[in-house]
Amino acid sequence: MSSLQLIVTQDDWDLVQEVIQRSPGECSWLGVGTHENGIGTVTRIHFPDQENTSASSDIDEAALADVCLDLDPDIGETVIWWGHSHGSMNTFFSGTDWATWENWTCAKDMPFFVATVHNKKEEDPFEIVHWQGQSFPNQTGILCPEEEIDED
């Protein structure tokens, strides 16, 4: 399933990395965007209100609702990425992460959804993608395209 991808701009990728490094513990973010044929394109990153500790990150439900209400249905925008850090711990899916994954992919019947776990050591993230009703752990790559150059 190596053709499954999540495309993130370099600016958004850099912002995520900066937030991870500045957070005293864990932190979470959501990427909204569009998807087609197993390729998701993140159009915006949200860092909703959340409670974070050195071992957990809980997004506020009202803040999550605000992110969903801000989606643009005219372009088919949806939440396609849930990312969070494990602070200085390894990148893996904990029991809590698996439960959250199940809530996103099953309860919301998501056609395309990616979850990633990062850390301050900038090790390769743990990645899992849900597409066409199946989950594929560690099968997707995060692509950071170069910024477009304005030639004017």
Side-chain angles (χ1 to χ4, degrees):
M1 293 280 85
S2 60
S3 63
L4 300 175
Q5 290 185 321
L6 182 69
I7 300 172
V8 182
T9 66
Q10 188 66 50
D11 284 346
D12 283 344
W13 183 257
D14 292 344
L15 176 62
V16 164
Q17 297 305 316
E18 180 180 337
V19 171
I20 290 170
Q21 293 302 322
R22 289 178 182 240
S23 296
E26 293 195 5
C27 63
S28 294
W29 59 91
L30 298 171
V32 300
T34 59
H35 63 89
E36 185 175 353
N37 298 323
I39 298 175
T41 303
V42 174
T43 54
R44 293 178 286 147
I45 301 285
H46 291 270
F47 295 92
D49 289 342
Q50 52 195 273
E51 293 284 329
N52 298 318
T53 69
S54 61
S56 68
S57 180
D58 296 311
I59 296 175
D60 178 78
E61 288 184 20
L64 175 58
D66 287 343
V67 170
C68 293
L69 288 171
D70 191 42
L71 297 172
D72 185 350
D74 292 338
I75 63 169
E77 195 174 57
T78 186
V79 177
I80 60 172
W81 182 23
W82 163 54
H84 72 285
S85 73
H86 274 185
S88 297
M89 295 187 302
N90 292 336
T91 58
F92 65 98
F93 248 39
S94 68
T96 301
D97 297 339
W98 283 113
T100 302
W101 174 257
E102 292 289 323
N103 285 337
W104 273 106
T105 58
C106 296
K108 295 173 179 45
D109 193 28
M110 304 293 284
F112 178 88
F113 190 69
V114 173
T116 58
V117 180
H118 305 253
N119 65 17
K120 292 179 182 290
K121 298 181 271 186
E122 298 185 21
E123 295 172 333
D124 288 339
F126 178 92
E127 304 165 342
I128 183 169
V129 64
H130 179 85
W131 186 57
Q132 295 185 339
Q134 295 184 332
S135 294
F136 303 95
N138 283 335
Q139 295 295 317
T140 184
I142 301 295
L143 175 63
C144 298
E146 294 295 320
E147 294 290 319
E148 290 186 31
I149 298 172
D150 187 2
E151 297 186 20
D152 290 312

